[in-house]
Amino acid sequence: MATITEPITTPAVRETECFIGGKWTPSVSGQTFSTINPSTEEVICEVAEGDAADIDLAAKAAHAALYDGPWGKMDARDRGILMNKLADLIESNLEELAALESLDNGKPFADSSTADLPLVVDCLRYYAGWADKIHGKTIPVRGDFFVYTRREPVGVAGQIIPWNFPMLMTAWKWGPALAAGCTIVMKPAEQTPLTCLRMAKLAQEAGFPDGVINVVPGFGPTAGAAVVKHPLVDKIAFTGEHTTAQIIQREAADTMKRLTFELGGKSPNIVFADADLDEAVAGSDAGLFFNMGQCCCAGSRLYVEESIHDAFVERMLESIAGRKLGDPLDPSTQQGPQVDQAQFDKIMKYIGLGQEQGANCAAGGNRFGDRGYFIEPTVFTGVTDEMQIATDEIFGPVMSILKFRDMDEIIDRANNTMYGLAAAVWTRDVQKAHKIANSVRAGTVWVNCYDAFDAAAPFGGFKMSGLGRELGEAALNNYLEDKTVTVALS
Ligand code: ADP
């Protein structure tokens, strides 16, 4: 895509209803809810508010599509062809979709068009390639038997996603589910329903049979909870807060649903004195401030070795100075608003706690402007491990810089958290890099990089950061059941 410099026209909103069984319908109750533009605090539009009644229809449609419709009988390679068509349609509507994402979520168009959308397309293509490469084994057993396994779709997949990467989370969920041959009941986040609905429309245009993909916008405790409880839904894939996952885990027990969770983090980002300082500063800046800090894997505990601490802080402050905050649809904007009032309030509370508990606010700390949920990029120095800004997930543009002395100390401190999603280490010493990579209990460790994602590389959490893995071959297994077939030969 050529570099765009002109302001992007506000995109038209087309899909605002539930998408169930291939039809666009108002919610059964007729209720709607407002989706808000976080940079103006104004209502963008009303969206159908689905609840248990709509989820029931969606689950039945997904069940019928799998067992009675063409999807369950379709050749695996044809599933892959449909997925590639969807990827192509998204690619050819990339600017419009990126603008819609920026409108609803507040992320800069510069990011949605160059990061989110290309990753969406890549993820769908990656999984399209898997569709006809999922197969079982023949197994030598004792006796005169022929034993083989089949890998069958787990069934109807219930997918519940958050608002921080609405389209990308949709792709991460749809990709492996569709490749595996499942059908889908998806509930997008109430803050950001628009792009998931648009993707459903493109899936319809691509030719997915009715009922394969169903999208029901609505709220967590109503629509989300109904997905979790529905007896026709076989599996839940959830991304969000660990406290919500705990509710889901309890609620899902009655119907023995398969569960995968991708949850929060407080990821240690460790900079050794021998690191390339320019790269470490740039990578740590992006590792925290990308997407306004609204990343589950944000490098929010930034540990810097004592001897370079002051130089690092100076460079970090230079790096964030002059960052352009403003309208996400202006292509030169580098930082947009937080997603909503609740997130804004939570982050401002943590900034207050950082100050009260004795950290030094070296940059930012305030609301930006008087309209929209903008917060200045904020850097705290002099942070210690027990302060709440060092222990709690803030999910905002708030960097906490901590000092460390040596390897033994930093491994213990890095692991001293209930989370275990990601970690990073910056060093030119290969021994230090591998020592950290082996010792930190986290699902991803980045060495001399941050947020380097690829659809082929698994992503997920140790400890309270999750259950199972997204992406790669690992995520396919979440959507498959092994069936063993034993044939007596005599
Ligand atoms: P976040 O703070 O990122 O919004 P949540 O865990 O609250 O994280 O929300 C993530 C997703 O989970 C959203 O789609 C939300 O509507 C949904 N959700 C919230 N509560 C529940 C629940 N009790 N059951 C099912 N889904 C829920």
Side-chain angles (χ1 to χ4, degrees):
M1 192 175 74
T3 308
I4 298 174
T5 51
E6 294 300 310
I8 306 298
T9 321
T10 305
V13 177
R14 298 192 182 94
E15 292 76 25
T16 60
E17 294 188 311
C18 302
F19 181 59
I20 298 174
K23 302 210 164 41
W24 294 90
T25 57
S27 61
V28 172
S29 70
Q31 298 284 321
T32 62
F33 65 100
S34 306
T35 186
I36 307 286
N37 177 344
S39 53
T40 62
E41 304 177 42
E42 286 164 4
V43 174
I44 302 170
C45 64
E46 290 294 308
V47 175
E49 183 187 332
D51 60 21
D54 307 275
I55 294 296
D56 184 48
L57 294 174
K60 285 175 177 154
H63 191 266
L66 184 57
Y67 299 105
D68 308 328
W71 182 251
K73 300 176 202 75
M74 190 180 286
D75 287 342
R77 197 160 306 153
D78 291 333
R79 285 204 308 273
I81 289 171
L82 279 178
M83 294 172 71
N84 272 321
K85 271 194 195 156
L86 174 59
D88 292 347
L89 279 175
I90 291 171
E91 195 172 48
S92 54
N93 290 280
L94 191 146
E95 274 175 35
E96 181 222 324
L97 286 160
L100 194 59
E101 193 79 310
S102 292
L103 178 73
D104 208 13
N105 165 282
K107 62 177 72 202
F109 178 81
D111 291 344
S112 55
S113 60
T114 62
D116 300 55
L117 264 292
L119 288 169
V120 166
V121 173
D122 198 50
C123 177
L124 290 172
R125 289 191 177 138
Y126 169 77
Y127 281 109
W130 266 112
D132 62 355
K133 296 168 194 69
I134 297 167
H135 42 70
K137 295 178 175 169
T138 56
I139 302 175
V141 297
R142 285 192 193 279
D144 202 12
F145 298 101
F146 169 49
V147 174
Y148 65 94
T149 57
R150 288 167 49 81
R151 308 212 70 202
E152 298 189 356
V154 70
V156 175
Q159 306 188 319
I160 302 172
I161 56 165
W163 45 262
N164 57 343
F165 292 93
M167 282 196 75
L168 189 56
M169 291 301 102
T170 303
W172 283 22
K173 297 285 185 273
W174 287 8
L178 295 171
C182 293
T183 55
I184 291 170
V185 175
M186 166 153 276
K187 203 222 48 89
E190 53 271 31
Q191 296 87 345
T192 55
L194 299 180
T195 46
C196 181
L197 290 169
R198 186 92 195 100
M199 260 173 85
K201 179 72 182 174
L202 295 178
Q204 193 177 22
E205 281 175 34
F208 280 89
D210 293 350
V212 172
I213 295 171
N214 304 275
V215 179
V216 179
F219 291 89
T222 48
V227 182
V228 174
K229 287 189 200 126
H230 203 288
L232 290 181
V233 174
D234 298 282
K235 181 238 162 8
I236 297 291
F238 167 80
T239 299
E241 293 199 31
H242 74 273
T243 47
T244 312
Q246 288 168 321
I247 297 171
I248 292 175
Q249 208 162 21
R250 281 190 276 270
E251 294 289 342
D254 287 343
T255 46
M256 199 58 75
K257 287 192 174 48
R258 286 82 182 105
L259 299 174
T260 43
F261 295 145
E262 199 256 283
L263 310 174
K266 192 73 189 174
S267 300
N269 179 20
I270 302 163
V271 184
F272 281 98
D274 66 358
D276 178 318
L277 205 52
D278 289 337
E279 283 185 11
V281 167
S284 304
D285 177 342
L288 186 284
F289 290 108
F290 178 64
N291 207 38
M292 288 69 73
Q294 301 169 142
C295 298
C296 45
C297 56
S300 52
R301 287 187 291 147
L302 176 46
Y303 290 102
V304 182
E305 194 168 350
E306 248 172 6
S307 60
I308 59 157
H309 173 272
D310 293 354
F312 184 94
V313 169
E314 197 180 314
R315 299 248 201 129
M316 183 56 78
L317 296 178
E318 280 167 21
S319 175
I320 64 162
R323 175 154 305 163
K324 189 172 170 204
L325 279 71
D327 178 4
L329 291 180
D330 178 339
S332 65
T333 293
Q334 295 166 303
Q335 184 180 322
Q338 308 310 125
V339 79
D340 65 7
Q341 183 75 48
Q343 291 296 319
F344 176 89
D345 291 344
K346 176 182 161 198
I347 296 160
M348 292 309 291
K349 183 194 85 178
Y350 275 110
I351 290 175
L353 280 172
Q355 284 158 337
E356 273 168 37
Q357 294 176 2
N360 168 43
C361 187
N366 301 302
R367 176 176 193 175
F368 172 84
D370 53 13
R371 195 170 84 127
Y373 310 116
F374 292 91
I375 298 178
E376 293 173 345
T378 299
V379 176
F380 279 105
T381 58
V383 180
T384 52
D385 289 352
E386 66 293 345
M387 290 179 186
Q388 270 172 281
I389 55 170
T391 57
D392 298 3
E393 185 175 41
I394 302 175
F395 229 62
V398 181
M399 176 177 274
S400 296
I401 303 185
L402 304 93
K403 275 186 202 173
F404 76 94
R405 262 194 328 275
D406 57 36
M407 178 64 89
D408 287 341
E409 178 208 306
I410 193 56
I411 291 172
D412 286 345
R413 290 174 68 193
N415 281 329
N416 186 18
T417 170
M418 67 177 180
Y419 294 114
L421 190 59
V425 54
W426 300 84
T427 178
R428 290 187 172 103
D429 181 334
V430 74
Q431 287 184 331
K432 282 183 186 161
H434 285 292
K435 176 99 175 151
I436 293 287
N438 288 358
S439 312
V440 174
R441 298 192 62 212
T444 291
V445 180
W446 286 298
V447 178
N448 294 330
C449 58
Y450 210 99
D451 280 347
F453 279 95
D454 191 282
F459 178 76
F462 282 35
K463 302 195 273 182
M464 298 286 267
S465 288
L467 211 57
R469 292 292 176 268
E470 305 274 313
L471 299 179
E473 185 177 1
L476 279 175
N477 297 330
N478 305 337
Y479 293 93
L480 294 165
E481 293 276 16
D482 281 330
K483 178 182 281 180
T484 303
V485 181
T486 300
V487 183
L489 295 180
S490 58

